[in-house]
Amino acid sequence: MPLFQYQNRCLHYLKQGEGEAVLLLHGLGSCAAHWSLQMQALSADYQVIAADFRGHGQSSPSAQPFTMQQLAADMLALLTHLEIKRCQVVGFSLGGMVAFELALLAPQCVQSLVIINSGPYLAIQGWRLKLQLGFRLAVIRLLGMRKLGQIIGAKLFPDEEQKPLLELFAQQMASMDQASYRHTLNAIAHFSVQSQLSHLQLPVLVIAADQDYSPVATKAAYVSILPDAALIVIPNSRHATPLDQPEALNQQLLTFLAKVVKPGLSVTDNTQVSGGDQHV
């Protein structure tokens, strides 16, 4: 089990394949293992790394609050540990937020972004945000993490044939440390890089499920601000697109990566590639 010791905690990650590096960042309450279908599809051509955030999966729990920037710093430390100087980053939901922060923190390292059902700020604000956070915290306190996983999972996977996915998600949530989950919710609530979008001079693919929590128009609005971005909509998908539409997502990932990854570049090459030079 690959573990990386960083700042007195263990960060767990999975690694598969060889070639140019692709870093996969999971969603809230999920884990690196939930990228298994993407790792299988991408690892034939790329070195694919999927990491567990603090308090998720098999990474150490966090008793102290943290920010989205700190989660990004964890991922940069992992890339440094693996001697990866350049990578493509794919982030889903919470992972998309961390991906934005990582691209701003280490523009010399992040060559491109794929943002799945996420954005540079939280789509809901004000009383709606307080209500949603309050509901989740109340469920955790009164009924526990598994029950919250079942409630959220029922929205993510409502169809009869999706019951195995619902149970998979509920099991993962049941195993998650409560304090870490609360700290992650707080980090999400305080996240916004909207004012820094113009600094992201790199290719960005935004993938939106047609039935995501926030409408496609919300993603289109921030895509229009990014210097080099495109929006793709995946039909018949809710929020958890990597799990409910893996084949459609994998095809979009492979197509995008083929455009932005320069053939023949080593992941340990010291040459820095600017965002504007990455198209082939």
Side-chain angles (χ1 to χ4, degrees):
M1 182 174 69
L3 291 172
F4 164 53
Q5 294 282 343
Y6 177 63
Q7 293 186 343
N8 298 318
R9 70 173 59 86
C10 290
L11 294 176
H12 171 258
Y13 64 95
L14 303 172
K15 188 161 73 76
Q16 186 174 333
E18 300 292 336
E20 193 77 6
V22 179
L23 177 64
L24 306 178
L25 304 178
H26 64 75
L28 176 62
S30 186
C31 65
H34 289 177
W35 286 111
S36 62
L37 295 176
Q38 284 69 48
M39 294 192 76
Q40 181 180 347
L42 300 179
S43 60
D45 299 305
Y46 304 100
Q47 177 187 184
V48 188
I49 303 103
D52 286 332
F53 293 131
R54 301 182 187 188
H56 288 74
Q58 298 179 63
S59 289
S60 298
S62 181
Q64 301 298 321
F66 50 82
T67 65
M68 208 67 71
Q69 293 94 329
Q70 287 174 298
L71 292 181
D74 290 348
M75 296 301 102
L76 181 59
L78 173 61
L79 293 172
T80 302
H81 169 72
L82 296 174
E83 299 183 341
I84 293 172
K85 294 180 170 63
R86 200 172 38 247
C87 71
Q88 323 302 319
V89 180
V90 179
F92 158 61
S93 194
L94 164 66
M97 299 176 183
V98 177
F100 275 119
E101 292 283 13
L102 181 57
L104 292 166
L105 176 66
Q108 76 286 354
C109 179
V110 179
Q111 285 192 300
S112 69
L113 292 177
V114 179
I115 305 296
I116 306 166
N117 295 333
S118 186
Y121 56 90
L122 198 59
I124 60 169
Q125 295 292 332
W127 68 267
R128 290 183 178 85
L129 174 59
K130 292 180 180 179
L131 183 63
Q132 191 169 114
L133 293 178
F135 172 76
R136 293 194 182 195
L137 293 174
V139 171
I140 293 170
R141 184 173 63 254
L142 298 174
L143 303 173
M145 291 296 296
R146 173 175 285 276
K147 185 60 177 178
L148 180 61
Q150 291 171 340
I151 292 171
I152 297 173
K155 295 180 180 180
L156 297 175
F157 312 111
D159 299 334
E160 183 67 23
E161 64 270 20
Q162 294 178 326
K163 279 190 174 180
L165 294 176
L166 192 161
E167 183 56 29
L168 176 71
F169 180 77
Q171 286 179 354
Q172 179 57 42
M173 284 283 286
S175 68
M176 186 170 178
D177 174 64
Q178 288 190 18
S180 298
Y181 188 86
R182 292 195 300 269
H183 295 327
T184 310
L185 282 178
N186 185 64
I188 291 172
H190 290 88
F191 165 74
S192 177
V193 294
Q194 186 177 14
S195 64
Q196 302 176 67
L197 291 183
S198 62
H199 300 307
L200 294 173
Q201 301 291 328
L202 77 174
V204 181
L205 175 64
V206 176
I207 296 179
D210 63 341
Q211 301 171 55
D212 189 22
Y213 297 140
S214 61
V216 173
T218 301
K219 284 88 166 180
Y222 80 75
V223 166
S224 68
I225 301 172
L226 287 163
D228 183 8
L231 173 65
I232 295 290
V233 177
I234 293 191
N236 195 29
S237 179
R238 293 175 175 84
H239 185 63
T241 302
L243 292 171
D244 72 16
Q245 289 293 344
E247 293 182 3
L249 175 60
N250 292 347
Q251 185 56 57
Q252 294 297 338
L253 293 177
L254 287 168
T255 299
F256 178 75
L257 290 171
K259 293 178 181 178
V260 299
V261 174
K262 280 187 175 293
L265 284 180
S266 166
V267 295
T268 58
D269 190 293
N270 288 322
T271 303
Q272 294 186 3
V273 182
S274 67
D277 294 331
Q278 292 168 6
H279 291 291
V280 296

